[in-house]
């Protein structure tokens, strides 16, 4: 039977609705086409602060931003399988280890090659500034992508 935390996690993923990272090449393609950053939440399955970030910031960001951001989640202690950019299949735990995540939650702002565009955002609500930090990094990441596209087009 499911223990309470995984039942909550299931409920949470339905309610908080940050899609899992399952197909990195497809998401990268979409992000490149839309010229938007890929925002990836590295979480743990039973982490209160991860839940807070997911529920209080990312769910509304997804609702309000439409196509101007892409948000995905990597549950770093779970074995969800994902297709990686190289074509290999990794678990969420393997990707988190490969990315060098040490702290949860960590929010990364990636380009379509999954290279960082901004400083990762660690932890939950830093004294009421989380939203400001989040928006500033989205802004910074988006500007870098728009500049890069201008340079190549």
């Amino acid at each position: 039977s499911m223990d309470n935390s995984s039942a909550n996690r299931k409920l949470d993923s339905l309610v908080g609705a940050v899609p899992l990272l399952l197909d990195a090449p497809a998401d990268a393609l979409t992000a490149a086409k839309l010229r938007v950053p890929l925002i990836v939440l590295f979480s743990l399955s039973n982490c209160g602060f991860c839940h807070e970030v997911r529920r209080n910031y990312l769910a509304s960001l997804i609702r309000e931003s439409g196509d101007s951001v892409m948000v995905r989640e990597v549950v770093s202690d779970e074995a969800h399988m994902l297709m990686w950019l190289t074509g290999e299949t990794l678990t969420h735990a393997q990707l988190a280890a490969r990315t060098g995540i040490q702290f949860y939650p960590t929010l990364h702002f990636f380009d379509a090659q999954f290279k960082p565009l901004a400083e990762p955002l660690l932890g939950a609500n830093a004294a009421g500034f989380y939203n400001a930090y989040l928006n500033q990094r989205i802004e910074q990441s988006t500007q870098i992508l728009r500049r890069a596209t201008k340079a190549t087009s």
Side-chain angles (χ1 to χ4, degrees), residues 7 15 44 50 59-60 77 81 88 94 106 109-110 112 152:
V15 178
L44 295 172
C50 303
S60 58
D77 56 349
M81 304 303 283
E88 67 196 304
Q94 286 170 324
T106 291
F109 303 82
F110 291 130
T152 56

Side-chain angles (χ1 to χ4, degrees), residues 1-3 13 15 17 29 37 43-44 46 50 53 66 69 72 85 91 94 96-97 114 117 120 122 135 141 149:
S1 73
M2 278 205 308
D3 69 356
S13 60
V15 178
L29 202 64
S43 66
L44 295 172
N46 203 0
C50 303
V53 168
V69 296
R72 295 292 181 266
L85 299 177
T91 65
Q94 286 170 324
F114 282 79
L117 291 162
L122 305 183
N135 290 328
S141 302
T149 322

Side-chain angles (χ1 to χ4, degrees), residues 34-36 68 141-151:
L34 297 171
R35 294 189 301 183
V36 297
S68 62
S141 302
T142 306
Q143 280 174 355
I144 293 169
L145 290 173
R146 299 270 146 94
R147 279 204 300 273
T149 322
K150 278 204 191 68

Side-chain angles (χ1 to χ4, degrees), residues 4-143:
N4 202 23
S5 70
S6 66
N8 283 344
R9 177 78 190 97
K10 284 241 172 350
L11 188 68
D12 195 32
S13 60
L14 295 173
V15 178
V18 175
L20 294 175
L21 180 67
L22 299 173
D23 189 340
D27 288 345
L29 202 64
T30 306
K33 218 181 273 169
L34 297 171
R35 294 189 301 183
V36 297
L38 266 164
I39 300 171
V40 181
L41 171 65
F42 288 88
S43 66
L44 295 172
S45 50
N46 203 0
C47 151
F49 287 128
C50 303
H51 175 69
E52 202 178 294
V53 168
R54 188 187 304 116
R55 185 190 56 206
N56 296 352
Y57 302 100
L58 299 181
S60 58
L61 181 67
I62 291 168
R63 265 200 315 275
E64 290 156 21
S65 304
D67 274 352
S68 62
V69 296
M70 279 187 79
V71 187
R72 295 292 181 266
E73 183 168 358
V74 173
V75 188
S76 307
D77 56 349
E78 288 190 9
H80 298 296
M81 304 303 283
L82 69 92
M83 168 76 76
W84 187 234
L85 299 177
T86 53
E88 67 196 304
T89 305
L90 299 176
T91 65
H92 276 202
Q94 286 170 324
L95 181 61
R98 197 180 270 202
T99 311
I101 307 295
Q102 316 245 296
F103 192 88
Y104 298 94
T106 291
L107 203 57
H108 259 292
F109 303 82
F110 291 130
D111 67 12
Q113 282 73 52
F114 282 79
K115 297 276 178 283
L117 291 162
E119 279 292 302
L121 193 44
L122 305 183
N125 194 5
F129 290 119
Y130 195 91
N131 233 0
Y133 291 147
L134 175 59
N135 290 328
Q136 179 245 323
R137 282 166 171 78
I138 292 170
E139 184 65 31
Q140 180 190 337
S141 302
T142 306
Q143 280 174 355

